[in-house]
Amino acid sequence: MVRRGNDVSIGRDISLRGGSTRRQFLTWSALVGALAFTPELTGIPAANAQSVVPPDFPFRLGVASGDPLPDSVVLWTRLATDPFAPLGGMNPGVVPVQWQIAADEKFGRIVTQGVELATKFDGWSVHVDVEGLEPAREYFYRFLVGAHASTVGRTKTAPAPGQSLGRLDFAWASCQKWEDGFFDAYKDVASSNLDVVFFLGDYIYEYAIKDEGARAGKARPDSAARETMVLNDYRDRYAMYKADENLAAAHASAPFVTTFDDHEVDNNWASQISQDDDDPKQFLLRRADAFKAWWENMPVRANLRPSGPDMKVYRRFSFGDLVDFSVLDTRQYRSDQANGDGEHAQNAETADPSRTITGAEQEQWILDGFSSPSKWNFLAHQTVISDLARGLDADRKVGMDPWSGYEASRHRILDGARDRGTNNVASIVGDIHRTIVSELRRDYQDQVSPVVGVEIATTSIASGKDGADVDTTGAAIAHGSPHVKFGNARRGYLRASLTPSEWRSEVRVLDAVSTPGNAVRTAATVTVPDGSPEIDLR
Ligand code: FE
Ligand code: CA
């Protein structure tokens, strides 16, 4: 179960956030007075603790909500008066940020409110864990600093445990390489009135960015010219992405559940091992900085805050009796990629049962989750479980980074689901910059291996530039992977409605992301019925 962070308190009796028991609204001056006693909270010496209200509009990185529970949702913002300046243009000091949740968009009926402190220590981000909300309800929220008000966000709580739920509208997205194109897919997300959006990895890319391509000439931080290695550069990178108005609109439209993949840290990292095989001690310092910046910038609870290079992100979200989503971390605990990474035939190394993509503890947690009585059981994670083989027989090669390079993990997870008689196993992933709909099987070279579920990989929001309906890689996968039922290499995302009788997904794509303002269309609709993993394509 998801555990919440502790209340942050200052002084003896002042809670810094509202909640079911403490909903008093703190005045700004009361807070600032209390701050003098709490240097450990602000990360600056008590003598220097002072409130600094930015004269300029400080909500340029937007607002977000996330990790919905039946009685709680996280509200997020991060102050920056200039997203492209060092430290987002913020001056050292503490900024009290008032937050409000209302039943209506005009804030005529405020349900709960409070004050949270934004500090340099956390990159001026705030994560408000609002409690005492009603299940399966829409709410509106905003933040106030001095005379400045943020845009209004919409969010929604999850249904009560076991509550009958007739329909869940959700989306999943991944891979939004800023320099590769515009985020118009998110404009479509924002107008889709969703219950929840899953972001499954590659929220940022760590590479040095050249001033060329789709976003040539667009404002960016100085640090964008170098690969992100340290905390402030990762913070800058998130600010650059968050300044995108379509991404901000998507966040403001619905709660997000986010996890990370490789590029939030370093391409194809595995546990303590970097892409370039740096000294693991050095890499862990980098990982700590990358994790801190990820936590600061995601609408996740305070209890996900990393401790040095460690951050426990795998967690589960239930929506009444309809569905469980197990959100995974397949980077932090994995064995190094087999056969030197890249593409390779499966062999004794990929099948080695001592290797793992989840780590033993998370694997057991996934298996335990399969005992859930929910109608549907989703794994929401990073890389494809299915083999995306190119070529047949002697020419057959698969990726060493996704689960095809960790066959024993696939066997243990899919066998575990079967052994428990798990209802309607489904996998939603990203990573591959193409939409792929495939059957989940224990073994893909054994044609009688039963189908145990359905996997739908979303394409990228922008990574890979414009793309095409069919490209050479897609054709090779279609040839080498008969269990793949659909592929499309354009940019976009997946939008779905889930009911007790079916899982219906729309493959939403754009003809181009190299220019802004392109329309989003449905390239295919994929329906999976309750009770059997059959893929119907329209
Ligand atoms: Fe990616
Ligand atoms: Ca990736």
Side-chain angles (χ1 to χ4, degrees):
M1 283 306 293
V2 176
R3 282 172 48 228
R4 304 219 179 85
N6 296 321
D7 274 43
V8 177
S9 294
I10 58 172
R12 289 174 186 276
D13 55 9
I14 302 173
S15 170
L16 281 188
R17 45 162 237 200
S20 50
T21 55
R22 291 175 184 273
R23 293 191 183 175
Q24 75 270 39
F25 165 61
L26 293 182
T27 63
W28 199 46
S29 54
L31 245 176
V32 174
L35 279 178
F37 304 104
T38 56
E40 74 282 0
L41 191 70
T42 61
I44 56 175
N48 297 332
Q50 56 176 324
S51 158
V52 178
V53 175
D56 299 325
F57 184 72
F59 297 112
R60 298 202 181 275
L61 305 182
V63 302
S65 70
D67 285 13
L69 300 177
D71 63 343
S72 167
V73 70
V74 177
L75 307 182
W76 173 94
T77 193
R78 176 183 158 205
L79 305 180
T81 53
D82 179 356
F84 311 117
L87 306 179
M90 298 294 291
N91 294 313
V94 173
V95 185
V97 180
Q98 187 189 347
W99 56 269
Q100 297 179 323
I101 284 211
D104 64 307
E105 217 163 341
K106 294 189 169 154
F107 289 80
R109 285 172 293 146
I110 290 176
V111 173
T112 180
Q113 58 186 341
V115 176
E116 193 94 3
L117 297 179
T119 70
K120 181 182 174 184
F121 184 71
D122 283 339
W124 285 283
S125 65
V126 298
H127 301 75
V128 185
D129 188 358
V130 182
E131 295 181 300
L133 300 176
E134 290 172 24
R137 258 200 65 176
E138 185 176 74
Y139 290 99
F140 298 90
Y141 63 94
R142 68 181 174 190
F143 297 92
L144 305 166
V145 165
H148 305 293
S150 73
T151 54
V152 172
R154 168 197 173 267
T155 192
K156 198 168 178 186
T157 50
Q163 182 182 335
S164 168
L165 181 63
R167 175 169 171 156
L168 186 80
D169 292 305
F170 68 102
W172 62 107
S174 79
C175 296
Q176 49 192 27
K177 196 176 189 185
W178 183 89
E179 57 269 42
D180 273 5
F182 292 92
F183 296 170
D184 287 279
Y186 277 131
K187 195 181 285 180
D188 196 58
V189 170
S191 63
S192 292
N193 199 37
L194 299 168
D195 296 314
V196 61
V197 178
F198 294 88
F199 189 87
L200 302 175
D202 296 356
Y203 195 98
I204 59 162
Y205 281 71
E206 79 281 19
Y207 301 123
I209 301 171
K210 295 193 179 111
D211 193 4
E212 60 184 31
R215 303 223 199 198
K218 300 284 182 198
R220 64 197 65 197
D222 290 344
S223 62
R226 56 183 180 257
E227 183 165 339
T228 52
M229 300 293 289
V230 297
L231 180 56
N232 279 339
D233 288 1
Y234 281 107
R235 285 170 165 163
D236 283 356
R237 197 61 61 95
Y238 281 100
M240 191 182 86
Y241 279 69
K242 292 271 187 180
D244 182 279
E245 60 181 12
N246 289 321
L247 174 58
H251 274 299
S253 75
F256 271 53
V257 171
T258 57
T259 186
F260 59 79
D261 190 26
D262 53 337
H263 290 288
E264 285 87 347
V265 182
D266 179 35
N267 181 47
N268 280 17
W269 67 279
S271 185
Q272 308 182 13
I273 300 160
S274 73
Q275 178 180 29
D276 300 327
D277 275 324
D278 299 301
D279 176 353
K281 282 195 198 104
Q282 282 302 117
F283 178 65
L284 286 176
L285 291 174
R286 181 183 185 184
R287 196 176 98 180
D289 281 1
F291 280 3
K292 179 69 168 25
W294 181 88
W295 176 81
E296 288 175 357
N297 283 281
M298 294 298 124
V300 295
R301 288 191 164 75
N303 69 325
L304 266 65
R305 175 196 279 275
S307 170
D310 302 317
M311 179 166 69
K312 183 173 172 288
V313 163
Y314 65 85
R315 60 207 192 280
R316 188 167 292 124
F317 294 92
S318 299
F319 292 83
D321 64 356
L322 185 64
V323 57
D324 279 4
F325 291 92
S326 295
V327 179
L328 310 187
D329 169 357
T330 54
R331 284 284 157 199
Q332 197 174 173
Y333 316 107
R334 65 158 69 195
S335 311
D336 196 12
Q337 287 90 351
N339 302 304
D341 206 357
E343 300 253 320
H344 201 277
Q346 283 159 329
N347 58 9
E349 194 176 345
T350 58
D352 181 349
S354 73
R355 295 179 66 257
T356 174
I357 196 168
T358 60
E361 205 174 302
Q362 181 177 206
E363 179 178 295
Q364 189 57 51
W365 172 87
I366 295 167
L367 293 173
D368 292 345
F370 283 147
S371 300
S372 157
S374 288
K375 191 77 172 171
W376 298 86
N377 285 276
F378 275 68
L379 299 176
H381 59 124
Q382 294 80 13
T383 65
V384 283
I385 296 176
S386 298
D387 281 1
L388 301 187
R390 307 183 207 186
L392 297 164
D393 305 321
D395 296 328
R396 192 178 189 279
K397 284 185 177 168
V398 295
M400 293 294 102
D401 188 65
W403 291 60
S404 45
Y406 298 83
E407 291 182 276
S409 281
R410 179 166 70 210
H411 294 162
R412 291 189 293 260
I413 294 295
L414 296 186
D415 289 352
R418 285 201 87 200
D419 292 348
R420 287 163 179 77
T422 308
N423 301 323
N424 299 323
V425 176
S427 167
I428 55 174
V429 297
D431 180 53
I432 51 175
H433 309 171
R434 63 184 62 247
T435 305
I436 292 281
V437 180
S438 64
E439 296 166 340
L440 285 175
R441 293 175 182 233
R442 182 186 203 280
D443 292 299
Y444 289 97
Q445 297 182 75
D446 169 9
Q447 290 306 313
V448 297
S449 178
V451 180
V452 297
V454 173
E455 177 166 84
I456 304 182
T458 178
T459 185
S460 54
I461 292 288
S463 309
K465 305 179 182 172
D466 287 343
D469 286 328
V470 180
D471 63 358
T472 51
T473 302
I477 292 170
H479 175 67
S481 303
H483 52 278
V484 168
K485 302 303 178 189
F486 178 81
N488 182 293
R490 293 198 186 277
R491 308 287 75 86
Y493 75 102
L494 258 291
R495 182 171 75 187
S497 65
L498 185 70
T499 70
S501 61
E502 66 179 26
W503 170 28
R504 179 189 297 255
S505 304
E506 296 168 277
V507 179
R508 300 289 285 167
V509 301
L510 301 89
D511 288 333
V513 293
S514 53
T515 52
N518 286 290
V520 182
R521 62 182 168 86
T522 296
T525 300
V526 188
T527 307
V528 180
D530 168 39
S532 72
E534 292 163 15
I535 296 166
D536 179 66
L537 277 161
R538 297 287 156 92

